[in-house]
Amino acid sequence: MKDGTEVVVKIRRPGIRARMEADLRLMRHLAALAEARSAMVRRMKPAAMIEQLGREILDELDFTNEGRNADLLRADLASLERVTVPRIHWEWTGEQVLVMDYVEGIPPRDPAVLKAAAIDPSRIAALGAELVLEMVLVNGRFHADPHPGNLLCLQGNGLALLDLGSVGFVSPRRQHEFLTFILALRSGDPGGVADMLATWSESGEVPREKLMRASERLVSRHGTGALVLNAMVADFFPLLRQEGLVLPPDLVLIFKAMVTMDGVLSGIAPDFDLSEALGRMRGKLIASRLQRLAASDKLETALLELSRVAEEAPRFLRAAAARMEAPPSPPARDDATAQAVRLAGWLVGGAVVLHAAAQLLVHWT
Ligand SMILES: Nc1ncnc2c1ncn2[C@@H]1O[C@H](COP(=O)(O)OP(=O)(O)OP(=O)(O)O)[C@@H](O)[C@H]1O
Ligand SMILES: [Mg+2]
């Protein structure tokens, strides 16, 4: 730039839009053919998946979307001081050209390279975990593809997020479900895991014993020790397929982003454990729920979420209470998770009371 600012100019490949549209038409056609022929394929809903993929790809081809996403995520993440999203130069940006600040950094691939540049891989890993949990579970808007080429480690142990063409959204309901799933898994509660799988099952009724079987295997393999999402998901998806379960696409996108980030972080810090990061985040998670309640313009959403939480509360509270009454430190649980479960119990208890209060309020007004 004239003022000396170094920028990066991203230019769309000529003719790419027409080619993508042609590819999508072909994929749509193939999906329709396959769905017409096989009930098994129909259950996987390939046509719907291609529709969603198509929308996302075409969105990514318009760089003004990427610029807007960058602005939104930068604002979302303003409280994380060590996280940078490059500034967009809107006066030079359009559908086919994106101009943003140049960021000096190193992709998180090799811990030795980071150390040589005086960057601490374990601090990057902790920040990366906080970042992905904040995006998914607090803000509900997340970088859908945080692979090492889309991240830069910065001096002072910071992280920059690049390539924001693809951003996923998480509804408060899904945030709650995802957290419940992880908490149930980590507290050795296959019944709780099975409840979540039943909620997510888009392929109709799956018999309870099948869900329990899948859940028990997940809990026995991933309920204790470091939470390695890569390994968990590598078990999780084949298991779901085997039992005839299909997850909703938005949930797959959440898992994909979390697994990608988890893979990157354990690549640079081998003893990285996502469950530790979850434990550290719990205060913030609760605060974000309470804040959502306090924001009056979102009262309706808050009430809706509360009523859902309240619906599930009896089972959840029972499970949490049973765990609190259990003999001290059962082997299947680490302390951070135990506390998280206890807090979740309080949260749900609070929600039940608030729900009742809210209902009274609705009656009176
Ligand atoms: N603001 C920036 N500052 C410094 N380097 C950048 C910046 N933006 C992009 N880069 C570099 O350019 C590479 C490609 O950028 P980006 O990921 O945005 O493009 P892309 O075409 O969407 O890539 P891909 O499809 O491979 O993910 C990044 O991996 C990074 O090395
Ligand atoms: Mg990229």
Side-chain angles (χ1 to χ4, degrees):
M1 295 280 120
K2 281 198 178 133
D3 65 2
T5 318
E6 283 192 73
V7 294
V8 166
V9 180
K10 199 167 156 174
I11 300 167
R12 193 168 84 189
R13 211 180 281 271
I16 190 81
R17 187 173 201 112
R19 242 180 37 218
M20 287 289 196
E21 279 168 353
D23 286 353
L24 280 167
R25 270 197 302 278
L26 183 65
M27 282 160 75
R28 237 179 254 133
H29 183 62
L30 289 175
L33 277 180
E35 283 199 8
R37 269 156 207 234
S38 150
M40 205 264 281
V41 171
R42 263 198 301 282
R43 270 209 307 275
M44 318 280 285
K45 300 194 178 160
M49 262 156 72
I50 287 165
E51 269 329 297
Q52 183 168 353
L53 184 77
R55 266 196 306 275
E56 277 161 19
I57 288 177
L58 295 179
D59 268 3
E60 270 191 65
L61 288 181
D62 179 352
F63 283 156
T64 57
N65 280 326
E66 179 167 343
R68 266 195 301 275
N69 289 341
D71 285 352
L72 290 171
L73 258 85
R74 193 181 319 103
D76 283 352
L77 300 168
S79 68
L80 296 182
E81 281 162 19
R82 285 186 288 131
V83 172
T84 302
V85 177
R87 193 164 51 106
I88 306 297
H89 294 261
W90 281 108
E91 66 278 31
W92 306 108
T93 293
E95 193 186 328
Q96 303 181 53
V97 178
L98 179 69
V99 181
M100 66 187 130
D101 278 356
Y102 169 76
V103 179
E104 175 93 47
I106 302 172
R109 288 202 175 91
D110 181 347
V113 173
L114 295 178
K115 281 182 199 149
I119 295 172
D120 178 351
S122 61
R123 289 200 61 198
I124 294 284
L127 180 63
E130 192 184 346
L131 171 61
V132 74
L133 293 173
E134 173 108 10
M135 288 191 293
V136 172
L137 295 176
V138 179
N139 303 333
R141 179 162 36 217
F142 61 95
H143 192 306
D145 192 18
H147 67 77
N150 291 340
L151 297 166
L152 288 173
C153 305
L154 316 177
Q155 285 303 317
N157 300 309
L159 263 174
L161 281 177
L162 305 176
D163 199 358
L164 290 153
S166 170
V167 160
F169 299 93
V170 198
S171 66
R173 197 184 104 189
R174 280 273 191 263
Q175 289 178 327
H176 169 70
E177 290 170 0
F178 192 83
L179 201 59
T180 308
F181 170 79
I182 296 284
L183 288 176
L185 177 75
R186 299 299 292 175
S187 53
D189 172 14
V193 173
D195 288 346
M196 247 32 263
L197 293 184
T199 307
W200 290 339
S201 172
E202 284 214 320
S203 45
E205 282 294 297
V206 180
R208 180 78 187 174
E209 68 267 25
K210 278 192 171 188
L211 294 177
M212 276 309 281
R213 204 164 47 229
S215 305
E216 272 159 13
R217 273 165 63 191
L218 278 177
V219 167
S220 73
R221 289 184 201 176
H222 305 287
T224 49
L227 176 58
V228 184
L229 269 191
N230 266 323
M232 201 273 279
V233 167
D235 272 352
F236 186 50
F237 281 87
L239 214 65
L240 295 187
R241 230 187 348 263
Q242 218 172 302
E243 306 295 353
L245 261 153
V246 181
L247 289 185
D250 65 312
L251 206 64
V252 175
L253 197 65
I254 299 175
F255 271 109
K256 179 176 164 266
M258 302 271 293
V259 164
T260 307
M261 188 63 122
D262 189 54
V264 170
L265 303 179
S266 39
I268 55 165
D271 56 355
F272 170 70
D273 181 356
L274 191 67
S275 60
E276 269 175 33
L278 254 174
R280 278 197 303 273
M281 282 283 290
R282 58 180 192 272
K284 207 166 193 176
L285 290 175
I286 290 170
S288 88
R289 273 160 190 276
L290 292 181
Q291 243 166 31
R292 198 175 289 138
L293 271 181
S296 54
D297 62 323
K298 290 188 188 147
L299 192 63
E300 224 172 304
T301 327
L303 287 181
L304 220 121
E305 184 191 0
L306 276 182
S307 65
R308 246 192 77 80
V309 175
E311 260 169 42
E312 288 167 16
R315 187 197 60 73
F316 201 57
L317 277 179
R318 241 191 343 268
R323 244 167 262 132
M324 278 185 266
E325 285 156 12
S329 57
R333 197 168 20 114
D334 51 319
D335 260 351
T337 316
Q339 272 181 321
V341 169
R342 209 166 301 141
L343 274 161
W346 276 111
L347 190 63
V348 175
V352 175
V353 174
L354 279 170
H355 176 67
Q359 286 218 319
L360 277 178
L361 211 72
V362 170
H363 269 289
W364 281 339
T365 51

